[in-house]
């Protein structure tokens, strides 16, 4: 994955569900990264998240920030695979 492809996956929390769905379709990666103005990861959004929101009657004009909070699990650069696995279990 190159930097342009990665950057296409990143979007701010004010993006609407409709815009996120269009970006998810355009990038074809199955996941988007919601980041703050400093580029810090706030959460991930998948096609499943958007589908559940639609089924719950959430408007397409609703910003991603209105979705239920799901803070990401992260590990530092020096973390081993074992450390990464432990952080999600």
């Amino acid at each position: 994955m190159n930097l342009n492809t990665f950057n296409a996956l990143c979007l701010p929390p004010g993006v609407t569900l409709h815009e996120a769905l269009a970006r998810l379709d355009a990038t074809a990666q199955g996941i988007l990264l919601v980041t703050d103005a400093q580029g810090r990861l706030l959460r991930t959004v998948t096609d499943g998240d958007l589908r559940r929101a639609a089924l719950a009657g959430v408007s397409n004009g609703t910003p991603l920030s209105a979705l239920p909070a799901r803070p990401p699990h992260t590990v530092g650069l020096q973390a081993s695979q074992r450390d990464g696995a432990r952080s999600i279990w």
Side-chain angles (χ1 to χ4, degrees):
M1 176 179 300
N2 65 38
L3 187 56
N4 288 337
T5 302
F6 178 79
N7 286 337
L9 298 175
C10 299
L11 50 148
V15 166
T16 67
L17 270 62
H18 180 77
E19 293 166 325
L21 188 57
R23 179 82 63 95
L24 196 60
D25 185 55
T27 59
Q29 296 295 314
I31 192 167
L32 297 171
L33 309 172
V34 181
T35 57
D36 65 14
Q38 290 75 40
R40 289 183 295 244
L41 181 63
L42 300 174
R43 68 167 293 155
T44 60
V45 175
T46 65
D47 56 344
D49 295 322
L50 298 177
R51 185 175 51 252
R52 283 185 288 280
L55 290 171
V58 177
S59 165
N60 281 341
T62 301
L64 294 176
S65 59
L67 293 178
R70 297 194 54 191
H73 294 277
T74 61
V75 295
L77 291 173
Q78 301 303 319
S80 68
Q81 287 180 344
R82 182 174 293 188
D83 294 334
R86 279 191 204 132
S87 75
I88 60 172
W89 303 113

